[in-house]
Amino acid sequence: GIRHAFHGGTLPKTQPSVKFLTRTPRISRPAGRLRPTVLKSEPMNEADPFPHAPIAEQSVLSAMFRKPEMIARAHAEGIDASAFYMPGCKQILAGLIAARDAGIFDGEGAIDISTFVQQAQLDGSLERMGGPANVFAVSNYAFGEWGWSTWCNQLRETKARRIALSASQAIGE
């Protein structure tokens, strides 16, 4: 059996040979000179998403849940709903702004997540946010605002790339 094979015996017939396991694969190479790739202007494939940064989107929203003053800071840094690509994140941002304005805070000054979810359910936006599980996941996504500048830079960059892609697509039509 197998144990016998490790102690100098032969491998059973059902196992591949040692020669097969140690054989170096052959690499095929194209004949002749390589041709440069020509980029074609094709309509954008709907299956390919526009540039977005889901980690940055969720991290920024998580920081806003923990410290509502980050909502004003984001606005001052040019982060608004258009900086978010994922529809659920856009909806959560709108809910965070409404919760801040309504004063829905817990004892530590953060947005009260339970009241937030109840309010979203009452106004019909909870499912557009991705449901209660998504709201809870986003609210606990980041443990602080340590990466705030990086996240905001990523959101601004992906927004600019989406705008450029949309503009180039419009030109091509």
Side-chain angles (χ1 to χ4, degrees), residues 104-128:
I104 301 175
F105 304 116
D106 64 9
E108 298 175 1
I111 300 288
D112 182 56
I113 188 71
S114 297
T115 309
F116 179 89
V117 168
Q118 284 179 329
Q119 187 60 41
Q121 188 172 16
L122 289 173
D123 69 20
S125 64
L126 184 59
E127 291 309 312
R128 290 190 307 270

Side-chain angles (χ1 to χ4, degrees), residues 57-58 61 65 84 86-100 104 111-139:
E57 289 184 21
Q58 294 175 13
L61 293 173
F65 268 108
F84 295 87
M86 297 186 300
C89 288
K90 288 181 181 189
Q91 196 65 44
I92 290 172
L93 176 63
L96 282 168
I97 293 168
R100 179 204 57 195
I104 301 175
I111 300 288
D112 182 56
I113 188 71
S114 297
T115 309
F116 179 89
V117 168
Q118 284 179 329
Q119 187 60 41
Q121 188 172 16
L122 289 173
D123 69 20
S125 64
L126 184 59
E127 291 309 312
R128 290 190 307 270
M129 291 178 184
N134 187 52
V135 173
F136 281 109
V138 169
S139 71

Side-chain angles (χ1 to χ4, degrees), residues 5-170:
F6 286 117
H7 294 288
T10 59
L11 289 171
K13 294 188 186 230
T14 58
Q15 297 291 324
S17 70
V18 173
K19 182 179 178 186
F20 175 139
L21 292 175
T22 59
R23 191 178 84 202
T24 306
R26 299 183 109 184
I27 299 173
S28 62
R29 293 195 172 100
R33 202 174 80 152
L34 294 176
R35 294 185 177 187
T37 303
V38 178
L39 298 176
K40 297 178 183 176
S41 176
E42 298 177 8
M44 187 171 291
N45 183 355
E46 294 298 321
D48 294 337
F50 264 16
H52 64 292
I55 293 172
E57 289 184 21
Q58 294 175 13
S59 297
V60 164
L61 293 173
S62 182
M64 291 177 181
F65 268 108
R66 294 181 191 285
K67 290 188 172 183
E69 62 268 15
M70 301 303 277
I71 298 170
R73 182 174 171 188
H75 182 70
E77 294 185 27
I79 303 298
D80 58 3
S82 66
F84 295 87
Y85 177 77
M86 297 186 300
C89 288
K90 288 181 181 189
Q91 196 65 44
I92 290 172
L93 176 63
L96 282 168
I97 293 168
R100 179 204 57 195
D101 295 346
I104 301 175
F105 304 116
D106 64 9
E108 298 175 1
I111 300 288
D112 182 56
I113 188 71
S114 297
T115 309
F116 179 89
V117 168
Q118 284 179 329
Q119 187 60 41
Q121 188 172 16
L122 289 173
D123 69 20
S125 64
L126 184 59
E127 291 309 312
R128 290 190 307 270
M129 291 178 184
N134 187 52
V135 173
F136 281 109
V138 169
S139 71
N140 292 312
Y141 195 79
F143 293 111
E145 68 276 355
W146 304 291
W148 181 264
S149 297
T150 302
W151 302 329
C152 289
N153 286 339
Q154 289 174 346
L155 292 180
R156 284 189 293 270
E157 179 185 319
T158 54
K159 176 184 174 182
R161 289 172 50 204
R162 286 192 303 270
I163 291 170
L165 281 170
S166 294
S168 68
Q169 203 173 24

